[in-house]
Every structure is written in C-alpha cells, then in structure tokens.
Amino acid sequence: MRLMFRPRVEGAEGIPGSGPVILAGNHLTFIDSMILPLVCDRQVFFIGKDEYVTGKGLKGRLMAWFFTGVGMIPVDRDGGRGGVAALMTGRRVLEEGRVFGIYPEGTRSPDGRLYRGRTGIARLALMTGAPVVPFAMIGTDRIQPGGKGLPRPGKVEVRFGEPLEFTRYEGMDRDRYVLRAVTDEVMSEVMRLSGQEYVDIYATKAKSAA
C-alpha cells in the first residue's frame, strides 16, 4: 500500500505516543480508513459496518481478516441504537488508552467539500478526557473517485494538526452548546488543514437532497 499510494505525511509527530487519542478528520472516500493506519506509528481503531466482516465464503473470510487487521471494529449502525453503540465502542477504546479514528461528518463527502460535524466527537472527548488530533486526507478522492471500485495508484497526503485539549469542559458532555462549540472547533482545524470549502449542513442532508 505504501508503494501504491506513496503517502506524504505532515505533523504525525504531534500524535501523543501513549494514552487515549482521538484522530478526527475529513472523509473523502472508502480508502481513507486504510490510509490512516498506514501513516500512524500507533495502531488506530475505528468503527465500520458489521457487514464488512459477516460475509460468507472465501471472499467473506478474506474481507473479515483484512478489516479487523487494519483496526476496524464492526458495529451494527442500523436502527435507533446504532449511534449509541458506535459512541460506546469509541469510549471503550479510549478508556483502554488506545487511538480511535473518527470522521465527524458521519459519512463520506458527496462532493469534496467539508460538511458540518456531528457532536459525537465532542461527547467522546469530554467523556474520556482524550485529546483530539485533527487530520486532513488530501488526494484520496482522486485515486478512488466516488468511493467505489478498486483504487488506482497515486500520491496521497495526510496532514495532522496539534492536539486539541477540552478538559476545561469536564462534566459538560450533555450540554448541547458546549458539544457544538467543541465540534466546530475541531472542524475548523480540519478545514484549515484540508483547504476544503466548508458547508454548514450535514452531509447526509446534502446527499438526500441530491
């Protein structure tokens, strides 16, 4: 994968070498979750659809082996409790002192722009006290347009920002104004790193309106 994508990395030295860390960034295409673990010295865990590891036959076993190997934790995200399950899984990973990767937009960008972040990222940070390291994927949408099909060889870039601390809001993880402020601060850093145009609506709403 390093030969295929030739990742250029900036700022990875800012990721704390131990303890819980949240990596929060933009989401352009499917392979973002393969690139992120590739450029980090520490193992990165993230949430993925359980269908990626429940397939049958040889193909299903190979997919399950690959996705669990790159740090994906399968969660059933359908239904009313899917978001809660994802949040609790992230909390468990962080309380174990590990690195948890998350895309605050909640889904891939439909057009390459950066969309409004969902406040689950803020709840995780405030519940666990973990610092948030913002990051930006650049170029992954060019090597896998639309997030479908096999990616083609090409150069990608990953930029990491300085860790953001939100311990000043300890005990306020149910205050919706605090959650929005924390989320917007993270997304502002992601926008600065990525250079993307920002759209103040949720990406899921933009997709449903298309």
Side-chain angles (χ1 to χ4, degrees), residues 22-58:
I22 301 171
L23 301 181
N26 59 338
H27 195 11
L28 297 174
T29 191
F30 180 78
I31 64 167
D32 293 338
S33 297
M34 302 178 192
I35 299 295
L36 185 60
L38 190 67
V39 300
C40 294
D41 290 336
R42 297 179 64 185
Q43 185 175 11
V44 181
F45 295 88
F46 57 93
I47 297 298
K49 297 178 182 178
D50 62 349
E51 64 192 59
Y52 293 149
V53 299
T54 56
K56 300 185 182 299
L58 178 60

PDB file of all heavy atoms in Angstrom, residues 22-58:
ATOM      1  N   ILE A  22      -7.926  10.774  20.167  1.00  0.00           N
ATOM      2  CA  ILE A  22      -8.941  10.762  19.122  1.00  0.00           C
ATOM      3  C   ILE A  22      -8.350  11.416  17.883  1.00  0.00           C
ATOM      4  O   ILE A  22      -7.875  12.554  17.944  1.00  0.00           O
ATOM      5  CB  ILE A  22     -10.214  11.525  19.550  1.00  0.00           C
ATOM      6  CG1 ILE A  22     -10.825  10.912  20.816  1.00  0.00           C
ATOM      7  CG2 ILE A  22     -11.238  11.534  18.417  1.00  0.00           C
ATOM      8  CD1 ILE A  22     -11.952  11.741  21.406  1.00  0.00           C
ATOM      9  N   LEU A  23      -8.354  10.704  16.772  1.00  0.00           N
ATOM     10  CA  LEU A  23      -7.970  11.285  15.479  1.00  0.00           C
ATOM     11  C   LEU A  23      -9.249  11.619  14.735  1.00  0.00           C
ATOM     12  O   LEU A  23     -10.075  10.736  14.473  1.00  0.00           O
ATOM     13  CB  LEU A  23      -7.132  10.291  14.666  1.00  0.00           C
ATOM     14  CG  LEU A  23      -5.822   9.797  15.293  1.00  0.00           C
ATOM     15  CD1 LEU A  23      -5.114   8.845  14.332  1.00  0.00           C
ATOM     16  CD2 LEU A  23      -4.911  10.966  15.637  1.00  0.00           C
ATOM     17  N   ALA A  24      -9.450  12.883  14.408  1.00  0.00           N
ATOM     18  CA  ALA A  24     -10.692  13.329  13.785  1.00  0.00           C
ATOM     19  C   ALA A  24     -10.381  14.060  12.480  1.00  0.00           C
ATOM     20  O   ALA A  24      -9.601  15.021  12.479  1.00  0.00           O
ATOM     21  CB  ALA A  24     -11.459  14.258  14.726  1.00  0.00           C
ATOM     22  N   GLY A  25     -10.979  13.594  11.378  1.00  0.00           N
ATOM     23  CA  GLY A  25     -10.655  14.220  10.098  1.00  0.00           C
ATOM     24  C   GLY A  25     -11.770  14.164   9.081  1.00  0.00           C
ATOM     25  O   GLY A  25     -12.880  13.697   9.350  1.00  0.00           O
ATOM     26  N   ASN A  26     -11.444  14.645   7.897  1.00  0.00           N
ATOM     27  CA  ASN A  26     -12.399  14.647   6.796  1.00  0.00           C
ATOM     28  C   ASN A  26     -12.507  13.247   6.206  1.00  0.00           C
ATOM     29  O   ASN A  26     -11.683  12.375   6.443  1.00  0.00           O
ATOM     30  CB  ASN A  26     -11.982  15.662   5.723  1.00  0.00           C
ATOM     31  CG  ASN A  26     -10.594  15.362   5.152  1.00  0.00           C
ATOM     32  OD1 ASN A  26      -9.764  14.698   5.758  1.00  0.00           O
ATOM     33  ND2 ASN A  26     -10.333  15.877   3.964  1.00  0.00           N
ATOM     34  N   HIS A  27     -13.557  13.043   5.416  1.00  0.00           N
ATOM     35  CA  HIS A  27     -13.803  11.707   4.869  1.00  0.00           C
ATOM     36  C   HIS A  27     -14.193  11.860   3.398  1.00  0.00           C
ATOM     37  O   HIS A  27     -15.312  12.245   3.076  1.00  0.00           O
ATOM     38  CB  HIS A  27     -14.931  11.027   5.651  1.00  0.00           C
ATOM     39  CG  HIS A  27     -15.024   9.555   5.430  1.00  0.00           C
ATOM     40  ND1 HIS A  27     -14.052   8.822   4.782  1.00  0.00           N
ATOM     41  CD2 HIS A  27     -15.999   8.672   5.765  1.00  0.00           C
ATOM     42  CE1 HIS A  27     -14.415   7.544   4.752  1.00  0.00           C
ATOM     43  NE2 HIS A  27     -15.591   7.430   5.330  1.00  0.00           N
ATOM     44  N   LEU A  28     -13.236  11.544   2.518  1.00  0.00           N
ATOM     45  CA  LEU A  28     -13.449  11.739   1.085  1.00  0.00           C
ATOM     46  C   LEU A  28     -13.853  10.463   0.354  1.00  0.00           C
ATOM     47  O   LEU A  28     -14.649  10.505  -0.584  1.00  0.00           O
ATOM     48  CB  LEU A  28     -12.179  12.309   0.446  1.00  0.00           C
ATOM     49  CG  LEU A  28     -11.729  13.683   0.932  1.00  0.00           C
ATOM     50  CD1 LEU A  28     -10.378  14.044   0.321  1.00  0.00           C
ATOM     51  CD2 LEU A  28     -12.770  14.743   0.571  1.00  0.00           C
ATOM     52  N   THR A  29     -13.281   9.336   0.782  1.00  0.00           N
ATOM     53  CA  THR A  29     -13.534   8.103   0.047  1.00  0.00           C
ATOM     54  C   THR A  29     -13.276   6.896   0.944  1.00  0.00           C
ATOM     55  O   THR A  29     -12.775   7.021   2.063  1.00  0.00           O
ATOM     56  CB  THR A  29     -12.655   8.051  -1.224  1.00  0.00           C
ATOM     57  OG1 THR A  29     -13.088   6.987  -2.072  1.00  0.00           O
ATOM     58  CG2 THR A  29     -11.196   7.885  -0.883  1.00  0.00           C
ATOM     59  N   PHE A  30     -13.615   5.721   0.448  1.00  0.00           N
ATOM     60  CA  PHE A  30     -13.572   4.499   1.256  1.00  0.00           C
ATOM     61  C   PHE A  30     -12.180   4.204   1.805  1.00  0.00           C
ATOM     62  O   PHE A  30     -12.038   3.783   2.958  1.00  0.00           O
ATOM     63  CB  PHE A  30     -14.051   3.323   0.387  1.00  0.00           C
ATOM     64  CG  PHE A  30     -14.067   2.007   1.096  1.00  0.00           C
ATOM     65  CD1 PHE A  30     -15.098   1.690   1.975  1.00  0.00           C
ATOM     66  CD2 PHE A  30     -13.054   1.086   0.895  1.00  0.00           C
ATOM     67  CE1 PHE A  30     -15.115   0.472   2.640  1.00  0.00           C
ATOM     68  CE2 PHE A  30     -13.065  -0.132   1.557  1.00  0.00           C
ATOM     69  CZ  PHE A  30     -14.100  -0.443   2.428  1.00  0.00           C
ATOM     70  N   ILE A  31     -11.149   4.441   1.019  1.00  0.00           N
ATOM     71  CA  ILE A  31      -9.807   4.034   1.431  1.00  0.00           C
ATOM     72  C   ILE A  31      -9.178   4.948   2.480  1.00  0.00           C
ATOM     73  O   ILE A  31      -8.066   4.676   2.944  1.00  0.00           O
ATOM     74  CB  ILE A  31      -8.846   3.907   0.232  1.00  0.00           C
ATOM     75  CG1 ILE A  31      -8.647   5.269  -0.442  1.00  0.00           C
ATOM     76  CG2 ILE A  31      -9.309   2.851  -0.740  1.00  0.00           C
ATOM     77  CD1 ILE A  31      -7.479   5.261  -1.415  1.00  0.00           C
ATOM     78  N   ASP A  32      -9.873   6.007   2.896  1.00  0.00           N
ATOM     79  CA  ASP A  32      -9.343   6.852   3.973  1.00  0.00           C
ATOM     80  C   ASP A  32      -8.997   6.015   5.204  1.00  0.00           C
ATOM     81  O   ASP A  32      -7.984   6.245   5.862  1.00  0.00           O
ATOM     82  CB  ASP A  32     -10.370   7.922   4.366  1.00  0.00           C
ATOM     83  CG  ASP A  32     -10.611   8.944   3.270  1.00  0.00           C
ATOM     84  OD1 ASP A  32      -9.736   9.102   2.396  1.00  0.00           O
ATOM     85  OD2 ASP A  32     -11.678   9.584   3.287  1.00  0.00           O
ATOM     86  N   SER A  33      -9.856   5.035   5.497  1.00  0.00           N
ATOM     87  CA  SER A  33      -9.659   4.205   6.683  1.00  0.00           C
ATOM     88  C   SER A  33      -8.528   3.197   6.519  1.00  0.00           C
ATOM     89  O   SER A  33      -8.141   2.545   7.486  1.00  0.00           O
ATOM     90  CB  SER A  33     -10.957   3.465   7.036  1.00  0.00           C
ATOM     91  OG  SER A  33     -11.968   4.390   7.363  1.00  0.00           O
ATOM     92  N   MET A  34      -8.024   3.046   5.318  1.00  0.00           N
ATOM     93  CA  MET A  34      -6.838   2.215   5.095  1.00  0.00           C
ATOM     94  C   MET A  34      -5.567   3.063   5.140  1.00  0.00           C
ATOM     95  O   MET A  34      -4.519   2.605   5.596  1.00  0.00           O
ATOM     96  CB  MET A  34      -6.937   1.515   3.745  1.00  0.00           C
ATOM     97  CG  MET A  34      -8.150   0.644   3.591  1.00  0.00           C
ATOM     98  SD  MET A  34      -8.219  -0.117   1.940  1.00  0.00           S
ATOM     99  CE  MET A  34      -9.901  -0.746   1.942  1.00  0.00           C
ATOM    100  N   ILE A  35      -5.684   4.300   4.678  1.00  0.00           N
ATOM    101  CA  ILE A  35      -4.530   5.203   4.660  1.00  0.00           C
ATOM    102  C   ILE A  35      -4.168   5.642   6.080  1.00  0.00           C
ATOM    103  O   ILE A  35      -2.987   5.693   6.446  1.00  0.00           O
ATOM    104  CB  ILE A  35      -4.813   6.430   3.783  1.00  0.00           C
ATOM    105  CG1 ILE A  35      -5.095   6.024   2.337  1.00  0.00           C
ATOM    106  CG2 ILE A  35      -3.643   7.418   3.847  1.00  0.00           C
ATOM    107  CD1 ILE A  35      -3.931   5.392   1.632  1.00  0.00           C
ATOM    108  N   LEU A  36      -5.173   5.954   6.891  1.00  0.00           N
ATOM    109  CA  LEU A  36      -4.894   6.486   8.233  1.00  0.00           C
ATOM    110  C   LEU A  36      -4.037   5.546   9.076  1.00  0.00           C
ATOM    111  O   LEU A  36      -3.016   5.977   9.633  1.00  0.00           O
ATOM    112  CB  LEU A  36      -6.211   6.816   8.940  1.00  0.00           C
ATOM    113  CG  LEU A  36      -6.076   7.498  10.309  1.00  0.00           C
ATOM    114  CD1 LEU A  36      -5.340   8.832  10.188  1.00  0.00           C
ATOM    115  CD2 LEU A  36      -7.453   7.709  10.938  1.00  0.00           C
ATOM    116  N   PRO A  37      -4.370   4.246   9.205  1.00  0.00           N
ATOM    117  CA  PRO A  37      -3.492   3.364   9.979  1.00  0.00           C
ATOM    118  C   PRO A  37      -2.097   3.212   9.362  1.00  0.00           C
ATOM    119  O   PRO A  37      -1.134   2.942  10.078  1.00  0.00           O
ATOM    120  CB  PRO A  37      -4.235   2.014   9.957  1.00  0.00           C
ATOM    121  CG  PRO A  37      -5.638   2.349   9.628  1.00  0.00           C
ATOM    122  CD  PRO A  37      -5.573   3.540   8.729  1.00  0.00           C
ATOM    123  N   LEU A  38      -2.028   3.409   8.051  1.00  0.00           N
ATOM    124  CA  LEU A  38      -0.760   3.241   7.345  1.00  0.00           C
ATOM    125  C   LEU A  38       0.265   4.296   7.750  1.00  0.00           C
ATOM    126  O   LEU A  38       1.468   4.029   7.760  1.00  0.00           O
ATOM    127  CB  LEU A  38      -1.014   3.307   5.830  1.00  0.00           C
ATOM    128  CG  LEU A  38       0.119   2.924   4.881  1.00  0.00           C
ATOM    129  CD1 LEU A  38       0.428   1.440   4.997  1.00  0.00           C
ATOM    130  CD2 LEU A  38      -0.272   3.271   3.439  1.00  0.00           C
ATOM    131  N   VAL A  39      -0.211   5.492   8.094  1.00  0.00           N
ATOM    132  CA  VAL A  39       0.711   6.607   8.348  1.00  0.00           C
ATOM    133  C   VAL A  39       0.899   6.903   9.841  1.00  0.00           C
ATOM    134  O   VAL A  39       1.569   7.879  10.185  1.00  0.00           O
ATOM    135  CB  VAL A  39       0.227   7.885   7.619  1.00  0.00           C
ATOM    136  CG1 VAL A  39       0.160   7.647   6.118  1.00  0.00           C
ATOM    137  CG2 VAL A  39      -1.128   8.344   8.150  1.00  0.00           C
ATOM    138  N   CYS A  40       0.306   6.090  10.713  1.00  0.00           N
ATOM    139  CA  CYS A  40       0.434   6.304  12.149  1.00  0.00           C
ATOM    140  C   CYS A  40       1.314   5.224  12.766  1.00  0.00           C
ATOM    141  O   CYS A  40       1.194   4.046  12.422  1.00  0.00           O
ATOM    142  CB  CYS A  40      -0.948   6.277  12.815  1.00  0.00           C
ATOM    143  SG  CYS A  40      -2.010   7.648  12.332  1.00  0.00           S
ATOM    144  N   ASP A  41       2.178   5.622  13.691  1.00  0.00           N
ATOM    145  CA  ASP A  41       3.027   4.659  14.384  1.00  0.00           C
ATOM    146  C   ASP A  41       2.216   3.798  15.341  1.00  0.00           C
ATOM    147  O   ASP A  41       2.547   2.640  15.574  1.00  0.00           O
ATOM    148  CB  ASP A  41       4.138   5.381  15.144  1.00  0.00           C
ATOM    149  CG  ASP A  41       5.168   6.007  14.216  1.00  0.00           C
ATOM    150  OD1 ASP A  41       5.294   5.523  13.076  1.00  0.00           O
ATOM    151  OD2 ASP A  41       5.829   6.977  14.625  1.00  0.00           O
ATOM    152  N   ARG A  42       1.166   4.354  15.930  1.00  0.00           N
ATOM    153  CA  ARG A  42       0.314   3.607  16.844  1.00  0.00           C
ATOM    154  C   ARG A  42      -0.852   2.970  16.086  1.00  0.00           C
ATOM    155  O   ARG A  42      -1.287   3.500  15.061  1.00  0.00           O
ATOM    156  CB  ARG A  42      -0.233   4.524  17.943  1.00  0.00           C
ATOM    157  CG  ARG A  42       0.843   5.122  18.824  1.00  0.00           C
ATOM    158  CD  ARG A  42       0.241   6.046  19.879  1.00  0.00           C
ATOM    159  NE  ARG A  42      -0.630   5.311  20.803  1.00  0.00           N
ATOM    160  CZ  ARG A  42      -1.360   5.891  21.763  1.00  0.00           C
ATOM    161  NH1 ARG A  42      -1.326   7.217  21.889  1.00  0.00           N
ATOM    162  NH2 ARG A  42      -2.120   5.171  22.558  1.00  0.00           N
ATOM    163  N   GLN A  43      -1.356   1.854  16.591  1.00  0.00           N
ATOM    164  CA  GLN A  43      -2.497   1.224  15.939  1.00  0.00           C
ATOM    165  C   GLN A  43      -3.734   2.086  16.115  1.00  0.00           C
ATOM    166  O   GLN A  43      -4.001   2.599  17.204  1.00  0.00           O
ATOM    167  CB  GLN A  43      -2.763  -0.171  16.520  1.00  0.00           C
ATOM    168  CG  GLN A  43      -3.880  -0.911  15.776  1.00  0.00           C
ATOM    169  CD  GLN A  43      -4.060  -2.335  16.257  1.00  0.00           C
ATOM    170  OE1 GLN A  43      -3.496  -2.731  17.277  1.00  0.00           O
ATOM    171  NE2 GLN A  43      -4.848  -3.110  15.541  1.00  0.00           N
ATOM    172  N   VAL A  44      -4.472   2.244  15.042  1.00  0.00           N
ATOM    173  CA  VAL A  44      -5.682   3.061  15.042  1.00  0.00           C
ATOM    174  C   VAL A  44      -6.897   2.148  14.942  1.00  0.00           C
ATOM    175  O   VAL A  44      -6.965   1.281  14.071  1.00  0.00           O
ATOM    176  CB  VAL A  44      -5.683   4.055  13.868  1.00  0.00           C
ATOM    177  CG1 VAL A  44      -6.956   4.916  13.897  1.00  0.00           C
ATOM    178  CG2 VAL A  44      -4.444   4.935  13.893  1.00  0.00           C
ATOM    179  N   PHE A  45      -7.868   2.355  15.823  1.00  0.00           N
ATOM    180  CA  PHE A  45      -9.123   1.620  15.772  1.00  0.00           C
ATOM    181  C   PHE A  45     -10.226   2.555  15.290  1.00  0.00           C
ATOM    182  O   PHE A  45     -10.218   3.750  15.589  1.00  0.00           O
ATOM    183  CB  PHE A  45      -9.481   1.063  17.151  1.00  0.00           C
ATOM    184  CG  PHE A  45      -8.514   0.020  17.644  1.00  0.00           C
ATOM    185  CD1 PHE A  45      -7.380   0.389  18.355  1.00  0.00           C
ATOM    186  CD2 PHE A  45      -8.733  -1.316  17.390  1.00  0.00           C
ATOM    187  CE1 PHE A  45      -6.483  -0.561  18.802  1.00  0.00           C
ATOM    188  CE2 PHE A  45      -7.832  -2.281  17.830  1.00  0.00           C
ATOM    189  CZ  PHE A  45      -6.712  -1.904  18.541  1.00  0.00           C
ATOM    190  N   PHE A  46     -11.163   2.024  14.544  1.00  0.00           N
ATOM    191  CA  PHE A  46     -12.272   2.831  14.057  1.00  0.00           C
ATOM    192  C   PHE A  46     -13.492   1.944  13.861  1.00  0.00           C
ATOM    193  O   PHE A  46     -13.397   0.714  13.826  1.00  0.00           O
ATOM    194  CB  PHE A  46     -11.903   3.556  12.757  1.00  0.00           C
ATOM    195  CG  PHE A  46     -11.464   2.638  11.648  1.00  0.00           C
ATOM    196  CD1 PHE A  46     -12.367   2.159  10.713  1.00  0.00           C
ATOM    197  CD2 PHE A  46     -10.129   2.258  11.526  1.00  0.00           C
ATOM    198  CE1 PHE A  46     -11.955   1.315   9.689  1.00  0.00           C
ATOM    199  CE2 PHE A  46      -9.713   1.409  10.516  1.00  0.00           C
ATOM    200  CZ  PHE A  46     -10.635   0.933   9.592  1.00  0.00           C
ATOM    201  N   ILE A  47     -14.650   2.586  13.734  1.00  0.00           N
ATOM    202  CA  ILE A  47     -15.920   1.888  13.574  1.00  0.00           C
ATOM    203  C   ILE A  47     -16.165   1.593  12.092  1.00  0.00           C
ATOM    204  O   ILE A  47     -15.901   2.422  11.227  1.00  0.00           O
ATOM    205  CB  ILE A  47     -17.073   2.740  14.117  1.00  0.00           C
ATOM    206  CG1 ILE A  47     -16.916   2.964  15.620  1.00  0.00           C
ATOM    207  CG2 ILE A  47     -18.428   2.090  13.814  1.00  0.00           C
ATOM    208  CD1 ILE A  47     -16.955   1.705  16.435  1.00  0.00           C
ATOM    209  N   GLY A  48     -16.693   0.411  11.821  1.00  0.00           N
ATOM    210  CA  GLY A  48     -17.069   0.054  10.458  1.00  0.00           C
ATOM    211  C   GLY A  48     -18.358  -0.746  10.461  1.00  0.00           C
ATOM    212  O   GLY A  48     -18.794  -1.271  11.493  1.00  0.00           O
ATOM    213  N   LYS A  49     -18.978  -0.839   9.314  1.00  0.00           N
ATOM    214  CA  LYS A  49     -20.219  -1.599   9.209  1.00  0.00           C
ATOM    215  C   LYS A  49     -19.962  -3.079   9.463  1.00  0.00           C
ATOM    216  O   LYS A  49     -18.992  -3.644   8.942  1.00  0.00           O
ATOM    217  CB  LYS A  49     -20.828  -1.419   7.806  1.00  0.00           C
ATOM    218  CG  LYS A  49     -21.239   0.005   7.483  1.00  0.00           C
ATOM    219  CD  LYS A  49     -21.789   0.087   6.069  1.00  0.00           C
ATOM    220  CE  LYS A  49     -22.168   1.516   5.704  1.00  0.00           C
ATOM    221  NZ  LYS A  49     -22.673   1.622   4.311  1.00  0.00           N
ATOM    222  N   ASP A  50     -20.844  -3.708  10.217  1.00  0.00           N
ATOM    223  CA  ASP A  50     -20.639  -5.118  10.526  1.00  0.00           C
ATOM    224  C   ASP A  50     -20.725  -6.010   9.294  1.00  0.00           C
ATOM    225  O   ASP A  50     -20.199  -7.122   9.279  1.00  0.00           O
ATOM    226  CB  ASP A  50     -21.614  -5.590  11.607  1.00  0.00           C
ATOM    227  CG  ASP A  50     -23.070  -5.476  11.196  1.00  0.00           C
ATOM    228  OD1 ASP A  50     -23.358  -4.846  10.156  1.00  0.00           O
ATOM    229  OD2 ASP A  50     -23.933  -6.024  11.917  1.00  0.00           O
ATOM    230  N   GLU A  51     -21.339  -5.511   8.233  1.00  0.00           N
ATOM    231  CA  GLU A  51     -21.458  -6.308   7.006  1.00  0.00           C
ATOM    232  C   GLU A  51     -20.092  -6.581   6.365  1.00  0.00           C
ATOM    233  O   GLU A  51     -19.947  -7.515   5.577  1.00  0.00           O
ATOM    234  CB  GLU A  51     -22.365  -5.614   5.992  1.00  0.00           C
ATOM    235  CG  GLU A  51     -21.830  -4.275   5.500  1.00  0.00           C
ATOM    236  CD  GLU A  51     -22.874  -3.473   4.725  1.00  0.00           C
ATOM    237  OE1 GLU A  51     -23.936  -3.168   5.294  1.00  0.00           O
ATOM    238  OE2 GLU A  51     -22.600  -3.161   3.554  1.00  0.00           O
ATOM    239  N   TYR A  52     -19.085  -5.774   6.727  1.00  0.00           N
ATOM    240  CA  TYR A  52     -17.745  -5.995   6.174  1.00  0.00           C
ATOM    241  C   TYR A  52     -17.095  -7.269   6.708  1.00  0.00           C
ATOM    242  O   TYR A  52     -16.144  -7.763   6.109  1.00  0.00           O
ATOM    243  CB  TYR A  52     -16.831  -4.805   6.487  1.00  0.00           C
ATOM    244  CG  TYR A  52     -17.203  -3.519   5.798  1.00  0.00           C
ATOM    245  CD1 TYR A  52     -16.948  -2.291   6.401  1.00  0.00           C
ATOM    246  CD2 TYR A  52     -17.806  -3.509   4.542  1.00  0.00           C
ATOM    247  CE1 TYR A  52     -17.282  -1.093   5.778  1.00  0.00           C
ATOM    248  CE2 TYR A  52     -18.155  -2.323   3.919  1.00  0.00           C
ATOM    249  CZ  TYR A  52     -17.888  -1.121   4.544  1.00  0.00           C
ATOM    250  OH  TYR A  52     -18.225   0.051   3.931  1.00  0.00           O
ATOM    251  N   VAL A  53     -17.578  -7.777   7.837  1.00  0.00           N
ATOM    252  CA  VAL A  53     -16.945  -8.950   8.432  1.00  0.00           C
ATOM    253  C   VAL A  53     -17.894 -10.133   8.573  1.00  0.00           C
ATOM    254  O   VAL A  53     -17.550 -11.130   9.197  1.00  0.00           O
ATOM    255  CB  VAL A  53     -16.343  -8.609   9.819  1.00  0.00           C
ATOM    256  CG1 VAL A  53     -15.277  -7.539   9.687  1.00  0.00           C
ATOM    257  CG2 VAL A  53     -17.417  -8.167  10.790  1.00  0.00           C
ATOM    258  N   THR A  54     -19.077 -10.012   8.010  1.00  0.00           N
ATOM    259  CA  THR A  54     -20.055 -11.090   8.151  1.00  0.00           C
ATOM    260  C   THR A  54     -20.323 -11.814   6.841  1.00  0.00           C
ATOM    261  O   THR A  54     -21.240 -12.636   6.772  1.00  0.00           O
ATOM    262  CB  THR A  54     -21.383 -10.541   8.713  1.00  0.00           C
ATOM    263  OG1 THR A  54     -21.861  -9.475   7.863  1.00  0.00           O
ATOM    264  CG2 THR A  54     -21.203 -10.008  10.131  1.00  0.00           C
ATOM    265  N   GLY A  55     -19.536 -11.522   5.805  1.00  0.00           N
ATOM    266  CA  GLY A  55     -19.726 -12.189   4.524  1.00  0.00           C
ATOM    267  C   GLY A  55     -19.376 -13.664   4.587  1.00  0.00           C
ATOM    268  O   GLY A  55     -18.623 -14.113   5.459  1.00  0.00           O
ATOM    269  N   LYS A  56     -19.913 -14.419   3.666  1.00  0.00           N
ATOM    270  CA  LYS A  56     -19.711 -15.867   3.643  1.00  0.00           C
ATOM    271  C   LYS A  56     -18.693 -16.251   2.579  1.00  0.00           C
ATOM    272  O   LYS A  56     -18.387 -15.468   1.693  1.00  0.00           O
ATOM    273  CB  LYS A  56     -21.043 -16.577   3.395  1.00  0.00           C
ATOM    274  CG  LYS A  56     -22.100 -16.284   4.461  1.00  0.00           C
ATOM    275  CD  LYS A  56     -23.353 -17.104   4.229  1.00  0.00           C
ATOM    276  CE  LYS A  56     -24.416 -16.764   5.265  1.00  0.00           C
ATOM    277  NZ  LYS A  56     -23.976 -17.040   6.632  1.00  0.00           N
ATOM    278  N   GLY A  57     -18.184 -17.474   2.688  1.00  0.00           N
ATOM    279  CA  GLY A  57     -17.249 -17.989   1.704  1.00  0.00           C
ATOM    280  C   GLY A  57     -15.853 -17.414   1.856  1.00  0.00           C
ATOM    281  O   GLY A  57     -15.552 -16.677   2.803  1.00  0.00           O
ATOM    282  N   LEU A  58     -15.003 -17.725   0.889  1.00  0.00           N
ATOM    283  CA  LEU A  58     -13.614 -17.283   0.933  1.00  0.00           C
ATOM    284  C   LEU A  58     -13.513 -15.763   0.904  1.00  0.00           C
ATOM    285  O   LEU A  58     -12.739 -15.166   1.657  1.00  0.00           O
ATOM    286  CB  LEU A  58     -12.839 -17.876  -0.246  1.00  0.00           C
ATOM    287  CG  LEU A  58     -11.357 -17.454  -0.355  1.00  0.00           C
ATOM    288  CD1 LEU A  58     -10.586 -17.876   0.884  1.00  0.00           C
ATOM    289  CD2 LEU A  58     -10.735 -18.037  -1.618  1.00  0.00           C
TER     290      LEU A  58
END
